[in-house]
Amino acid sequence: MVASGLPALAEEVARDAGALLRGAFAGGRPTTATKTTPTDLVSEADTAAEELIRTRLAAARPEDGILGEEGSNSAGTSGLRWIVDPLDGTTNFLFGIPQWAVSIAAHDGERTVAGVVYDPLRDECWSAAADGDALLDGVPVRGSERSDLATALVATGFGYDAGVRAAQGQTVLRLLPRVRDIRRLGSAALDLAWTAAGRFDAYYERGVQVWDFAAGALICERAGLAVAHLAPAPPAPAGLLVAPAAIIEELAELVDP
């Protein structure tokens, strides 16, 4: 599947969804509901942004499928499916914390062929095609080339289930003495985008869903970073690890129990 034109379409749609979300964010705390647990929140803004994205993509490419965090799920007939997180970092959004993003990726059944992560509040847009560079606002970016884990700044995130969070706390306990520091900002998509741009050296997290990382993982890969999938570590589910090739194996040993 040729990715020509797909990043541009994804960026255009992500910017429109971002404008909707930016307006809702400025308007105060919106109506919320819970999903899997009392701490797993969704807002009217999530669903409105996903509807906007679904409608725009369907108008531009009616034969494509779409998989969205807030319920959109159609296979399509073209062989290409869009994977959408309309608002990654919902808890931050609802608490007025300016750290959230729109994530849109295109998958051809075998691999992710295009991805965009858009930060509406900073107006920063990361994008990549499977055969191109990772870009930030159209300018190529490269990930960290750090070779010393002890000086690495590592991003992560935590799940919603209390048992999973307890296990993730033990991972942090192992990792924290071995790295420069750890950051937990609350949006997996932005964590990946920032890692691609070298703002973090590495990122890991268990429990992320495909819509959280589809775009960001491609952007990291095209930025020259190694991307590995983490096996489930009950009670924690599977996850993702992104790091410079020189430290990914050492880091993987620490994040696996």
Side-chain angles (χ1 to χ4, degrees):
M1 177 72 65
V2 176
S4 177
L6 297 180
L9 174 60
E11 177 173 345
E12 179 184 337
V13 174
R15 286 183 177 277
D16 286 348
L20 181 156
L21 292 167
R22 191 165 52 236
F25 188 75
R29 202 171 283 186
T31 303
T32 65
T34 60
K35 295 192 288 185
T36 59
T37 74
T39 58
D40 186 6
L41 301 175
V42 63
S43 73
E44 290 178 350
D46 289 78
T47 53
E50 184 163 310
E51 177 62 19
L52 182 153
I53 293 168
R54 186 194 64 77
T55 300
R56 290 289 308 280
L57 292 176
R61 296 183 57 95
E63 296 181 353
D64 294 350
I66 183 168
L67 174 64
E69 181 180 13
E70 306 310 333
S72 296
N73 189 2
S74 62
T77 59
S78 69
L80 188 138
R81 176 178 283 192
W82 296 90
I83 302 172
V84 173
D85 192 339
L87 173 52
D88 186 68
T90 297
T91 300
N92 285 348
F93 181 90
L94 294 174
F95 279 77
I97 300 169
Q99 185 76 5
W100 45 270
V102 181
S103 176
I104 302 177
H107 195 279
D108 70 358
E110 295 182 358
R111 61 175 183 161
T112 303
V113 294
V116 163
V117 174
Y118 178 54
D119 178 346
L121 297 182
R122 297 173 183 84
D123 194 27
E124 291 185 324
C125 188
W126 287 263
S127 63
D131 57 354
D133 292 329
L135 305 175
L136 169 55
D137 295 331
V139 178
V141 292
R142 298 291 292 177
S144 169
E145 296 182 355
R146 194 171 301 281
S147 59
D148 178 15
L149 184 62
T151 59
L153 184 62
V154 180
T156 192
F158 304 128
Y160 296 110
D161 178 82
V164 170
R165 292 169 70 86
Q168 290 171 326
Q170 293 302 309
T171 300
V172 171
L173 207 60
R174 289 194 302 276
L175 186 59
L176 190 55
R178 301 285 300 277
V179 298
R180 181 192 301 274
D181 210 343
I182 291 176
R183 296 289 183 268
R184 191 276 199 259
L185 299 184
S187 167
L190 273 184
D191 284 346
L192 286 162
W194 284 23
T195 304
R199 297 176 186 178
F200 299 130
D201 293 301
Y203 160 83
Y204 78 94
E205 185 172 353
R206 278 191 163 86
V208 284
Q209 303 295 324
V210 64
W211 45 75
D212 298 317
F213 66 76
L218 174 65
I219 296 166
C220 284
E221 178 186 317
R222 302 311 302 169
L225 295 164
V227 178
H229 290 272
L230 298 172
L240 193 73
L241 170 62
V242 175
I247 62 172
I248 194 167
E249 290 186 10
E250 188 179 2
L251 188 54
E253 291 176 0
L254 289 168
V255 302
D256 276 328

